[in-house]
Each structure stands twice: as structure tokens, then as C-alpha cells.
Amino acid sequence: ETGVTQTPRHLVMGMTNKKSLKCEQHLGHNAMYWYKQSAKKPLELMFVYNFKEQTENNSVPSRFSPECPNSSHLFLHLHTLQPEDSALYLCASSQEGGLAADGQFFGPGTRLTVL
Amino acid sequence: TQLLEQSPQFLSIQEGENLTVYCNSSSVFSSLQWYRQEPGEGPVLLVTVVTGGEVKKLKRLTFQFGDARKDSSLHITAAQPGDTGLYLCAGVVVRGSNTGKLIFGQGTTLQVKP
């Protein structure tokens, strides 16, 4: 248990569906992240939020829409996804407000399959 | 493009054997982190090394940061089945457009057979 929870753990959706991934951290951290993990590829940073403000969008397609209502919660809204978007989506948090060297705490991930 | 290359990509050994995983780059990093990820879970931070030449030990795991801060290694002594997992290195970039960013290697999958 790392103090970062994600729901759902598994999600299967069609290309026309709209769904949302949820992340919650109980560590009192100020920064939260979304990563995409695909087989045989390095972790890909998608978004960074510091103190609820988005500070990084790593050229992510608009069919992925993040939302950070407060420092403890992070959402990823999904709409009209493609089969190649199937992957493990990981949420992480860290103490400092940025991509610093203080280490990141990851949630267990949501395994997403797009049909 | 700053890349972190890990080797080997896959390693299958018997319980009790020693192994070393390497993480190499042509870029300099202000610090380097190692994570372990088990199936169905997210990565868990094992250690952060920040000084060139630094060595840190975590029970049977020994981590070293290269003198030039471009590479790192993870050595496991007397591996156990519980060490099985995906080992990821990640470095904080010090130069260029990605300064301050954490970039990950592609990972080394370790399987320790009883």
C-alpha cells in the first residue's frame, strides 16, 4: 500500500464510450502525475499537476482530458479512444511541486482495454 | 533525445544466484532512482542516488551511481523468488529542454526460480 489508490483497476471500453479514471493520494503531496505504461516501452509521462494547476502536458491527444479538483484527487477523462490507447495507466504523487528528485509514489494502475 | 537504456531486458535465474542490472545513458542526471514493479501493481521506489560514485545498500541489493552521473547499476546478491519483478531506473535530467524531468528506462524483467 503506497498511499495512492486508483479506480477502477480494470476497464474495458468501446471506442465511442466516455469513461473516467480516478486517483486519490493520502500522503499530503502537492504534485500528481498521469503515466501511460505500454508493453516493452518506457513509462510515458502524460500530465503533471502542481498544487492543482497543470504544469505539464506531454503532447497528449485531446481524447485524454485530466482534471485535478484538489491536491489529493486526480481524474483522467477518456473519450473516443483508439485501440492503441490500451495500456496500464498509472497515477503517481510526490511531495514537491514538480518533477523533482524526491521520488514518486505510484498507484496500482488501471488496466485499460479499448475494443 | 535523452534515453535511459537498461540491460538486460529480461533475466531468468535460479534462487541463490547473483545478478547485475545496468542503466546507461549519454546524458547526465542530477539523481537516479530505482523502482521495482510487481505484476498488477505500480512501481515502488527502492532508492535514490544523487552523488557521482555513490553506493547504497538495501539488504541484498546494492545500487551504484556512476562517477559521471550517466549510468547506474543494481546488484542483487543471492536472489530470492520474492525479488521477481520489473526493475525500472529513472533519471532526473539536468540539461536541455527536459531539465528537471524524470525519464524512465524500459525496464528489466527479473524472474527468480525456486
Side-chain angles (χ1 to χ4, degrees), chain A residues 66-99:
Chain A
E67 179 190 359
C68 188
N70 55 62
S71 293
S72 299
H73 293 85
L74 185 64
F75 296 89
L76 188 62
H77 304 299
L78 314 173
H79 177 49
T80 59
L81 295 191
Q82 305 299 311
E84 59 265 29
D85 296 323
S86 298
L88 181 68
Y89 288 84
L90 291 161
C91 173
S93 70
S94 68
Q95 180 62 53
E96 293 189 14
L99 296 161

Side-chain angles (χ1 to χ4, degrees), chain A residues 2 9 35 37 40-43 56 58 88 90 99-104 106-108, chain B residues 30-31 33 35 37 40-45 48 86 88 92 100-102 104-106:
Chain A
T2 62
R9 295 292 306 274
Y35 285 90
Q37 188 175 36
K40 299 183 180 180
K41 292 177 66 177
L43 274 170
E56 184 82 20
N58 204 24
L88 181 68
L90 291 161
L99 296 161
D102 57 347
Q104 296 182 7
F106 286 84
Chain B
S30 60
S31 66
Q33 301 163 14
Y35 293 81
Q37 183 176 17
E41 299 297 331
V44 175
L45 180 66
T48 300
L86 176 69
L88 298 163
V92 179
K101 291 187 179 181
L102 188 66
F104 283 81
Q106 80 275 30

